[in-house]
Amino acid sequence: MKLPATLIRTDIDTPLGPMRLAATDHALAGAWFHDQRHAPDPALMTLWRPDPHHTVLREAAAQLVDYFAGRRRVFELPLDLSFGTPFQIAVWRALCGITAGRTLSYGALAQGLQAASAVRAVGAAVGRNPLSVIVPCHRVLGARGELTGYAGGLARKQALLQLESAELSIPTSTPLPA
């Protein structure tokens, strides 16, 4: 993921720890917990202009507050996913199709992308999702429904799923391996 030095940023507090939000002039480009793996380089983030009053950042912060308070299940924000590879962008867009309260396995996600043999690549793209919580990578589970691989930490993944009252089972049209 190659983010530009021209983004605008703000930091917010959430019940799961502080987050940094980043935007272009017209769309949200990033949302990371401060201690999250695969976050942008701190030196790059210092180049981003701070502006807590930026329209997109202010709306993203308000929607995250509502989400954590249980008043919102769907984010309605303009998103800029263009800083990933074409494959990453396809994975991130597919993540947006997993509704709150539902989960999907990495394998089922790969199948849905017509890339059944690329489960590891799908997992890597999920892990580099630049819009934590908003693009719901936390809704992707291991093959048997286990919590695996969340860049923000498994405790946060579990808390997000509990907040959404997600079933920790994998809806899939194919039988799971024994």
Side-chain angles (χ1 to χ4, degrees):
M1 177 175 43
K2 193 141 177 122
L3 294 165
T6 57
L7 294 179
I8 303 152
R9 68 176 164 85
T10 194
D11 293 325
I12 64 168
D13 289 321
T14 77
L16 298 180
M19 291 184 80
R20 169 147 301 154
L21 306 178
T24 63
D25 287 339
H26 305 290
L28 190 66
W32 303 272
F33 290 101
H34 281 200
D35 59 352
Q36 181 171 321
R37 283 179 299 161
H38 310 301
D41 182 328
L44 173 64
M45 290 190 285
T46 62
L47 300 175
W48 299 345
R49 181 171 53 88
D51 184 357
H53 304 292
H54 181 276
T55 304
V56 172
L57 295 176
R58 195 174 61 239
E59 183 59 27
Q63 289 189 27
L64 282 163
V65 166
D66 285 348
Y67 170 83
F68 283 112
R71 296 185 300 262
R72 173 175 291 277
R73 293 175 65 86
V74 176
F75 291 93
E76 298 168 347
L77 296 163
L79 304 180
D80 187 340
L81 299 173
S82 69
F83 302 111
T85 67
F87 183 77
Q88 287 173 325
I89 293 167
V91 171
W92 300 336
R93 285 190 176 143
L95 292 172
C96 291
I98 308 170
T99 58
R102 304 270 189 210
T103 58
L104 196 67
S105 71
Y106 290 94
L109 182 59
Q111 279 184 321
L113 290 164
Q114 308 300 310
S117 63
V119 175
R120 287 184 185 213
V122 166
V126 169
R128 283 164 179 76
N129 167 24
L131 288 155
S132 291
V133 181
I134 296 162
V135 172
C137 56
H138 59 277
R139 297 178 188 153
V140 183
L141 304 177
R144 291 181 176 80
E146 69 275 13
L147 296 179
T148 61
Y150 186 63
L154 292 182
R156 281 192 184 115
K157 184 172 189 165
Q158 183 172 16
L160 292 167
L161 291 171
Q162 286 174 337
L163 176 67
E164 296 176 357
S165 301
E167 294 291 324
L168 293 181
S169 62
I170 305 300
T172 179
S173 59
T174 57
L176 295 174

